[in-house]
Amino acid sequence: MTNCRAAGQLLAFRNDRLGARIMCVLNAMRLYRDHDLPFRVHWHQGTDIGRVFNDTAQLFDQDFIETHFIDRETFRSRVTAPIRFNDLRDTTAWGLRDLLASGQDVLLDQPFGYTVLADETEDTVTRRCHEIWADFPFAKALQPKIEELTRNLRGATAYHIRRGDIISFPRAMNRSWPTKYIPDDYFVAHMQKLLATGIRPVLFSDDQPTIDRFQDMFPDLIAANSLFGADIIPEGQRDLLELVAMSRCDKIIAPPGSAFSSTAAALGGCLKLDVMADLAPADVQAARKRMQDRMKAAATARDIRDAGDLGQTLQHMANDLAVEGRYGDAAAIIAPLVIAGLNISFLYPLLLEMQLASDDHDGALRIADLLQDRVLFHRQDWAASQALIAHAWHLKGNRQRAATAALNAYWHHPEHAVVRETIDAFNALGYFDDTAFPPLGLGAHSVRNRTTPQLLTHPAFARIRKELTAAGLMRKPLRGHDTIIWDWFPMLRGFNPKHLENHKQRRRFEQSFAKLIEQSPTADLLSLHILFRHMLGEHPSAEADLASLAVENPQNAMIWHRLSLVQWMARDFKKALETAQTASDADGHPAHTAWRGLLRFHARDFSGCCKDLQSAIAAGFCVPNVYLSLAQAQQRLKQTNAACTTLAHAIAVSPRHQEPRFARARIMVDCGDLANAIKDLDVLFDIDGRSPKVLALHAECLAATGDQDRAIALLDLGLARTPDAPKLAQARQILRKVATDG
């Protein structure tokens, strides 16, 4: 692969599936051929389902690879400050050429459609891309097959039934894909109509059982993979040939959100139709009835074998029944399957919404009990579920349980919409005192301030909305969740200051600051703005400027805290601790005490750290990372039993927070309690299964208990996903040697 660093380049890159990657490469080729703009391709080396495309020699002509492809190291050296094409101000050919000549790289990562410059017409670009696709530099071994497909599929109608990773990979299975995954029932209805006209369509699917199932129903269907011997070629080549084959058809019937079929349609200039939108209303109703009957039958039989299909189909069914106001009917079908063990994480908040909308609060609380023993794959689904459970407890009149569930949700995912709105509503109703959350300066309340719970329009929240309205609280100003995270992120989860650079609300934050500073430039607001810009890397004098503001406003604890935070980010822990002491003296909020305790840990004052953190917890500041830091300090003081107790509290407050479980497992290993260590590590594997340090410890424990086969399988899985993880490679080598010696 080429390793060059001269003037700027167009960089074609995507790290998802094949269709979007090919589209980026095609757009780069078109700009190169039409405007002589240099381009390079970084072909992502996947570690999950995308690994089947890693061997570029199977897909592309070798000369094309050697001329235009760059390796990972070269790409990473070039993308320190790329500009995405969609962010360019001047998108004329001359503007783009001048930008590249100045040394600036431009990232082409457009997954759909063609890149059209300002001085071009869409029709001309489309025609040129079709020409390039017809003569694309595929691997020489594929050329004869592509020529045959082009001859045989001219005028054909294709069906694309997207399945693949959505029903087979946990990360995808546990997300809802309503525009990518269309249940069988709609395709059956469409095919019946088409086959009745005598047309033999070609069926494309990334799941062989789906192909077999439809061919059993409709023997006249032609399986696309039978046209080029898919069973004897590598999987990556098979998918590429299917993309080419689909693009050679005249018409594609597919899910609306499928990138694969959308790309094929764009590449070949063929017509793509949404399978559901192309059905007559009566046929849609018949398909829905068939789907609902199928789900009822599964619920009655408690049949959860096809978990991937069930999860996606239940989402469609719930959407349909919700439109009709039949929330209870949806819940009555979903609940038995979930209770029987269908553990698809997005189904839990979906079911809870249906139950709350139908006033089945007891049913929602039964699901809450179930969740105590279930591990949900996605943290956001756990958080949303806990927020909804909080509403169920609220409606049952149990304020304490409601507040606990709401806070549990918040510490898991403070930026989730349902969670944020629930916290806002409960806060307006007086559920929380001043110690439950970190403090905010007055300026923080104004940045992108909102005054009405935005999400509480779903029927699930009808009763609490009435309460807020009756109490005159629907227009009460709400706390600023984003600014809480900026001020206190070392004690919270899911935030990295660097993420602000590409935050979807960054421009609105900047506009809000500009407006507020023009109207009322208070010291507190200015200090928050300095912190914001410092996180963006745009305020090199942040420490000095905050220090000046703090001296001028000695009683403003938040200014002192922001100064301490900037010093902590610079790893000047001694200064940060001194400043934190000043903040705590100015305001005795337990969050300031906790922050001081965290800094004492860095200063190796473990006794002082424990005292501060225990004081903050006793005062009601029960943030998960405070418990974790306390346990770490207790371990340094050899207080093993106390550390285990503290970690148990941390897990109770935030069950999906991985670090407390890992810390407890580590202690159990050191104490020789491998059985309990494995219990925690099994949970961590169910939650993620990717962390090298977790997999390495898990394998070590399993090997120590004699389960060598599972230990090796875990390490092999980890190395497949993270090939360059030294912990896993070393552990695998040791186990291999033990097995050989044995």
Side-chain angles (χ1 to χ4, degrees), residues 454-638:
Q454 302 288 313
L455 200 75
L456 303 185
T457 56
H458 190 282
F461 309 114
R463 285 180 57 179
I464 196 168
R465 191 164 59 250
K466 289 179 181 177
E467 290 181 46
L468 291 167
T469 302
L473 298 173
M474 284 293 282
R475 304 298 300 176
K476 184 176 179 179
L478 309 172
R479 65 176 65 244
H481 294 279
D482 294 298
T483 53
I484 285 181
I485 294 169
W486 302 343
D487 276 331
W488 300 97
F489 74 87
M491 291 194 289
L492 302 179
R493 299 190 62 210
F495 178 78
N496 184 323
K498 292 182 180 178
H499 294 168
L500 267 183
E501 184 176 345
N502 296 313
H503 195 288
K504 60 184 179 182
Q505 301 294 349
R506 174 180 172 178
R507 185 169 298 176
R508 293 188 180 181
F509 293 143
E510 292 171 337
Q511 291 171 345
S512 184
F513 272 121
K515 181 178 179 180
L516 291 167
I517 290 173
E518 180 181 358
Q519 292 174 347
S520 179
T522 65
D524 185 78
L525 180 65
L526 292 172
S527 70
L528 181 63
H529 189 224
I530 290 170
L531 176 64
F532 175 77
R533 292 188 59 217
H534 176 69
M535 290 179 172
L536 290 171
E538 297 176 353
H539 201 108
S541 61
E543 183 177 354
D545 291 347
L546 284 171
S548 297
L549 278 174
V551 170
E552 294 168 6
N553 301 270
Q555 297 305 310
N556 191 316
M558 286 307 300
I559 297 178
W560 288 107
H561 172 72
R562 287 165 187 146
L563 173 58
S564 176
L565 181 58
V566 167
Q567 292 164 338
W568 175 84
M569 292 169 71
R571 305 191 66 77
D572 191 341
F573 301 125
K574 182 179 179 181
K575 266 190 184 181
L577 177 56
E578 292 171 356
T579 307
Q581 179 65 58
T582 306
S584 184
D585 291 341
D587 181 352
H589 193 288
H592 290 298
T593 306
W595 177 244
R596 184 180 65 196
L598 294 180
L599 291 169
R600 281 183 168 164
F601 183 92
H602 286 292
R604 305 188 67 77
D605 177 9
F606 303 122
S607 294
C609 171
C610 288
K611 182 179 178 181
D612 276 345
L613 297 181
Q614 287 168 335
S615 174
I617 291 169
F621 190 63
C622 302
V623 180
N625 278 358
V626 172
Y627 285 106
L628 179 60
S629 298
L630 173 58
Q632 291 170 339
Q634 289 168 330
Q635 284 181 265
R636 297 297 181 94
L637 295 171
K638 309 299 183 185

Side-chain angles (χ1 to χ4, degrees), residues 425-447:
F426 282 16
N427 191 53
L429 291 169
Y431 265 50
F432 309 115
D433 59 29
D434 290 340
T435 64
F437 297 94
L440 283 175
L442 292 175
H445 278 287
S446 303
V447 178

Side-chain angles (χ1 to χ4, degrees), residues 174-175 349 378-385 412-413 416 419 656:
N174 284 278
R175 283 185 58 196
H378 291 298
R379 178 163 50 94
Q380 66 180 23
D381 293 322
W382 175 273
S385 296
H412 274 85
H413 204 305
H416 191 287
V419 175
R656 275 192 50 91

Side-chain angles (χ1 to χ4, degrees), residues 198-229:
I199 295 175
R200 293 188 66 198
V202 182
L203 174 60
F204 293 80
S205 181
D206 48 5
D207 178 58
Q208 187 60 44
T210 297
I211 296 172
D212 296 340
R213 187 166 64 250
F214 274 83
Q215 283 200 303
D216 285 343
M217 285 188 283
F218 304 111
D220 286 341
L221 279 176
I222 301 169
N225 58 16
S226 69
L227 299 176
F228 48 81

Side-chain angles (χ1 to χ4, degrees), residues 658-713:
Q658 297 182 44
E659 287 302 323
R661 282 193 190 274
F662 179 74
R664 187 168 69 176
R666 182 77 266 178
I667 292 175
M668 293 297 102
V669 171
D670 293 341
C671 294
D673 187 355
L674 296 181
N676 278 316
I678 289 173
K679 285 182 181 178
D680 272 332
L681 293 166
D682 282 341
V683 172
L684 291 174
F685 180 78
D686 288 339
I687 289 174
D688 188 320
R690 290 173 174 266
S691 169
K693 70 177 183 181
V694 174
L695 287 171
L697 183 61
H698 204 171
E700 177 188 327
C701 292
L702 291 169
T705 59
D707 196 347
Q708 297 276 350
D709 291 342
R710 189 178 171 209
I712 291 172

